[in-house]
Amino acid sequence: MTAPSIVSVQSAPLVTTNTDVYTVPAGRRAKVHILVSMQSGGDITIRIKKGGAHTSADYLTYNWTLSANTPAQFPDTGVAVLLTSADVVVIYSTVADTVIFVNGYEDDIPT
């Protein structure tokens, strides 16, 4: 059994393109918080999804509007997002200057 490890990933997604940010390694699970920061003057619309298949059912949020120069945590309740082996956190942004942070921990899936 591998010891739990910290997840700390930062990515600047491509504009209007689904960008993989973090993938849970095989045999592991993760509990993460997602922070999105918009670093320019206009509002943006983002989409966040999880899952390896990239289907519409995998969206955690779709067309979420984020105000200019404002960081926001998803979900805004502070609850962590639970991921399992091979799940992928993907972001889509309508403009440049968007940064996503995925922070938390991962550990082995109990057998």
Side-chain angles (χ1 to χ4, degrees):
M1 178 173 263
T2 307
S5 57
I6 301 294
V7 174
S8 183
V9 180
Q10 175 182 339
S11 180
L14 300 172
V15 176
T16 64
T17 303
N18 286 325
T19 303
D20 292 0
V21 177
Y22 167 69
T23 303
V24 181
R28 307 278 279 174
R29 62 184 178 179
K31 182 177 181 180
V32 299
H33 296 275
I34 300 171
L35 178 72
V36 180
S37 178
M38 207 313 238
Q39 301 174 339
S40 65
D43 293 352
I44 63 167
T45 301
I46 62 166
R47 303 171 189 164
I48 301 173
K49 61 182 170 176
K50 74 168 194 166
H54 300 303
T55 66
S56 60
D58 294 326
Y59 281 99
L60 298 170
T61 187
Y62 191 89
N63 289 346
W64 178 31
T65 301
L66 187 59
S67 299
N69 300 310
T70 304
Q73 180 175 317
F74 179 83
D76 60 3
T77 59
V79 174
V81 176
L82 302 177
L83 306 167
T84 192
S85 181
D87 274 352
V88 181
V89 175
V90 180
I91 188 169
Y92 172 99
S93 175
T94 56
V95 298
D97 300 327
T98 304
V99 179
I100 184 170
F101 302 90
V102 178
N103 298 297
Y105 77 92
E106 63 185 36
D107 61 3
D108 287 340
I109 295 174
T111 55

